[in-house]
Amino acid sequence: DGHAFTSGLTVAPGPHKLTADLPNAEPFEQRVWVWFGNKDLGTIPLASSKGSLLVAVNPSPAGVTVRRGIESVSTGPAPLTVEKLVPGNYELEIKRGEYKETHSVKVVGRQRTEKKIDLNLGSVSLSADLADAEFQLSGNGQVWNGKLPARLEDVPVGDYRLSAQRKGWELNADVAVARGATATNRTEFPYGSIEVTSEPAGLAVSMNGTEVGKTPLLLKEIKPAQYTMTATDGSNDLTANINVAPKEAAKHPFVFRYGGVQLNSTPMGATVLRKGKEMGKTPLTLERIIAGEIEVELRLQGYEPARHSIRVVEGETTKSAAKLFSAQYVQAMKRAREALDAAQFSESQRLLAAALESEPGDTAALKLRDEVAQATERAAEALRVERANARTRELAALTWLDFQKVINDCTETKQVQYSVEVADGYNQEYVDNNGKKRTRFVQTGKHTEMRTKTEATFNDGIFFEKYRGRTFGFNCPDKWNVVKIDKDGSITLKAGGAGSDEIKVTVPVANRGALSSVQKGQKVTVKGVLTRFEKGGLFVPRSLYLESAEILDAGG
């Protein structure tokens, strides 16, 4: 009834509930009726609550470790049976060789739990159509190497990259491994071949620069690609680019067709080299030259080496002439071109004159001379434009001189009072000797009156502060022009006739001819430094002085 009880104790008659608890056993509970006297219930059958586990693994052999938490409960080969396991969750570690997997299992009390595990492993079968091929299979952190054919067991499920190699040729493929299955791959190396023949036969043949035999020649196991094949008779070569497709049997015939060459040079006596080999001196006849385009090099002391191309026709002797240019000419042309590129036109013209002296009438030198002349003209025009633009900018930035404004700016005015004697009297009419009526003033006295007048004074201080020492331009208005030209080169500009305002313009000490192009009566534009003002007087003009002047424009 929920109270501790041991065998032999007394209890009140009546119904009671008896329970028994034991670790790792099923709880026991029974209803009993107690009457007077002793009652024997006998042995209480407590049932165990533990379970068992059977682990089977495919493929086998494989090792199994059963763990609960960090505790290892049992270890052994599969199939593994473990008895008397406390109900609960367990972890299974399965190992087959270097491969390992983990699984979880729940054990239930009073029954056997069976766990069948199919490992995530498969196998791979690899082969090739040719012997002596090697392979590498990589993926999922693992790598296998070896020779083909090969069979790989216990390969973890996943995707892999297969690389098959043979004689430097590598082919790649993807291999997918499934659980319990065998993935297969057969690598085929699609070699081609090249058959080479020639007329005449027995010629040496090279492939990509390496000699491979003499014609007729069959080259097997050729990797698909483009190859440069050359056949030679000792003096002449024929070359062809041959494309070999997979499993293709390519063929190429080399047919040597010969002609001849008669070679002259100006000047004669030049050494002729072909393919680096000396053939003789010009004039020179070359025989058994293969038809087509050939190139020779000519060398002569004091002349630049020259490469000369000749088209040889089958069965014919081709006549060809080459011109050599002196080292002096070539050097002069080279330096003339460099001088032109550096805009040193005079130097370029001088060098071209030297080149034409060495090679009179040379087309290249004449053409380059025309280029220099055109470049010189373009540069001169650009300079003229730049100077004109500079002059325009200069005029735009220049402060222009206004004669009357200078006078007005520097003149101060004030009101002055003065006394005047005024006669007193009246007008009287009378008749002169000729009988005509006239009027005369009869003074009776006089008095003094105060009057006011305005006086204007030119202030030199204001002139010095605002104008003296500044550079101005002066552009003759309609009424101004050049009226006088002095022997020292200075000029005088007037605004009208005698006694009118004037501007005196003097030249720089270092350039006495600065205004030499000016003539009397001209309208000119000049600039200079405004230095002083002369007030003038009766019949003496007011004058401004522009010193160290230069002419900007001399009009009509």
Side-chain angles (χ1 to χ4, degrees):
D1 299 326
H3 304 285
F5 182 82
T6 59
S7 181
L9 292 181
T10 60
V11 66
H16 295 276
K17 182 172 71 173
L18 177 68
T19 60
D21 293 303
L22 183 69
N24 298 323
E26 289 289 328
F28 176 81
E29 182 179 306
Q30 183 177 337
R31 294 280 180 178
V32 296
W33 182 269
V34 179
W35 196 242
F36 294 102
N38 294 329
K39 183 174 180 64
D40 186 2
L41 296 181
T43 301
I44 296 176
L46 295 180
S48 171
S49 67
K50 293 185 177 181
S52 62
L53 174 65
L54 172 63
V55 181
V57 179
N58 179 48
S60 289
V64 180
T65 298
V66 181
R67 289 192 179 90
R68 188 173 191 186
I70 62 174
E71 178 187 1
S72 177
V73 176
S74 181
T75 300
L80 175 66
T81 300
V82 185
E83 301 289 350
K84 297 182 179 180
L85 289 177
V86 176
N89 295 319
Y90 290 82
E91 183 182 86
L92 306 178
E93 181 182 274
I94 315 298
K95 292 186 69 175
R96 176 174 166 84
E98 297 297 324
Y99 180 73
K100 181 171 65 176
E101 282 185 16
T102 57
H103 296 263
S104 60
V105 64
K106 184 176 182 179
V107 175
V108 180
R110 295 189 295 170
Q111 69 182 49
R112 170 167 289 184
T113 300
E114 294 185 358
K115 182 73 171 182
K116 184 177 180 180
I117 298 174
D118 290 323
L119 296 177
N120 281 326
L121 295 175
S123 60
V124 178
S125 178
L126 304 174
S127 62
D129 62 340
L130 295 171
D132 68 11
E134 297 179 342
F135 78 93
Q136 182 182 84
L137 184 69
S138 59
N140 300 314
Q142 299 191 60
V143 178
W144 292 266
N145 293 285
K147 292 185 176 295
L148 296 175
R151 183 177 178 85
L152 306 177
E153 301 291 347
D154 296 337
V155 179
V157 170
D159 295 324
Y160 295 85
R161 185 66 170 171
L162 173 65
S163 173
Q165 308 97 22
R166 184 175 186 270
K167 295 182 179 181
W169 190 7
E170 179 178 308
L171 298 176
N172 296 292
D174 294 324
V175 176
V177 177
R179 185 170 64 184
T182 299
T184 61
N185 180 275
R186 178 176 174 81
T187 301
E188 293 188 3
F189 291 87
Y191 286 109
S193 64
I194 301 176
E195 182 180 356
V196 182
T197 59
S198 69
E199 293 181 19
L203 303 183
V205 177
S206 62
M207 181 169 66
N208 293 343
T210 301
E211 188 170 334
V212 292
K214 293 187 177 182
T215 58
L217 179 65
L218 178 61
L219 302 173
K220 299 180 179 180
E221 293 190 1
I222 300 298
K223 178 181 175 180
Q226 184 183 82
Y227 297 89
T228 300
M229 309 293 294
T230 301
T232 179
D233 64 0
S235 298
N236 303 282
D237 297 339
L238 281 180
T239 299
N241 292 321
I242 301 176
N243 288 305
V244 179
K247 297 184 179 181
E248 179 188 14
K251 296 181 180 181
H252 187 81
F254 286 104
V255 180
F256 281 66
R257 307 184 187 281
Y258 296 105
V261 174
Q262 285 184 356
L263 179 60
N264 288 292
S265 69
T266 304
M268 294 187 299
T271 300
V272 180
L273 294 93
R274 183 181 178 213
K275 299 180 182 179
K277 180 180 177 182
E278 188 173 325
M279 309 299 294
K281 295 183 182 296
T282 58
L284 178 67
T285 299
L286 301 175
E287 298 179 346
R288 266 182 80 81
I289 302 298
I290 195 167
E293 195 81 19
I294 68 167
E295 184 178 78
V296 296
E297 183 178 357
L298 292 89
R299 295 181 181 177
L300 184 62
Q301 183 70 28
Y303 289 80
E304 286 290 313
R307 294 190 177 276
H308 184 62
S309 295
I310 307 169
R311 174 162 293 281
V312 181
V313 179
E314 180 186 3
E316 298 181 8
T317 298
T318 301
K319 294 182 179 181
S320 182
K323 180 172 176 56
L324 300 177
F325 293 92
S326 68
Q328 177 183 355
Y329 163 84
V330 174
Q331 184 65 16
M333 288 289 289
K334 177 176 179 294
R335 291 176 58 196
R337 171 59 69 180
E338 292 172 350
L340 172 59
D341 294 340
Q344 299 171 354
F345 305 125
S346 297
E347 178 66 8
S348 184
Q349 290 171 344
R350 185 188 67 80
L351 292 166
L352 284 171
L356 286 168
E357 183 178 352
S358 176
E359 293 289 340
D362 179 67
T363 303
L366 292 173
K367 181 179 179 182
L368 184 55
R369 188 176 67 180
D370 290 342
E371 289 185 38
V372 173
Q374 294 170 7
T376 302
E377 184 176 345
R378 287 194 298 270
E381 178 60 24
L383 181 60
R384 286 193 294 271
V385 171
E386 175 56 29
R387 286 177 176 172
N389 291 339
R391 179 53 57 90
T392 300
R393 292 192 296 270
E394 180 183 22
L395 294 177
L398 199 60
T399 302
W400 294 94
L401 182 64
D402 184 325
F403 190 100
Q404 191 58 50
K405 185 176 185 305
V406 174
I407 304 303
N408 293 341
D409 285 349
C410 301
T411 298
E412 293 182 329
T413 60
K414 63 180 179 179
Q415 299 295 317
V416 179
Q417 286 189 337
Y418 63 96
S419 61
V420 178
E421 287 188 353
V422 180
D424 296 327
Y426 61 91
N427 292 325
Q428 183 184 59
E429 291 186 351
Y430 69 96
V431 178
D432 65 8
N433 295 330
N434 295 320
K436 290 185 178 181
K437 288 184 179 182
R438 296 188 180 275
T439 301
R440 59 185 173 188
F441 179 76
V442 178
Q443 183 175 340
T444 60
K446 61 180 179 180
H447 68 275
T448 302
E449 292 182 359
M450 297 300 295
R451 296 184 180 181
T452 302
K453 66 178 179 179
T454 301
E455 288 187 351
T457 305
F458 188 86
N459 190 321
D460 290 329
I462 297 177
F463 177 79
F464 285 176
E465 180 182 350
K466 296 185 65 173
Y467 289 98
R468 188 172 185 272
R470 291 180 58 191
T471 300
F472 290 89
F474 182 78
N475 189 12
C476 282
D478 290 340
K479 65 179 182 177
W480 288 77
N481 58 21
V482 178
V483 297
K484 183 180 179 183
I485 301 176
D486 293 332
K487 293 181 179 179
D488 64 357
S490 61
I491 62 175
T492 301
L493 303 168
K494 271 188 175 293
S500 62
D501 296 332
E502 65 181 17
I503 298 177
K504 293 187 176 181
V505 183
T506 62
V507 297
V509 175
N511 185 11
R512 293 297 184 184
L515 307 177
S516 59
S517 62
V518 177
Q519 297 179 5
K520 291 178 66 174
Q522 275 190 306
K523 302 289 186 181
V524 296
T525 302
V526 293
K527 76 171 183 177
V529 180
L530 185 58
T531 60
R532 60 196 173 103
F533 167 71
E534 289 183 353
K535 304 175 184 179
L538 187 61
F539 303 114
V540 177
R542 296 180 298 180
S543 301
L544 290 175
Y545 284 79
L546 280 176
E547 297 187 358
S548 299
E550 64 175 288
I551 190 165
L552 300 179
D553 182 44

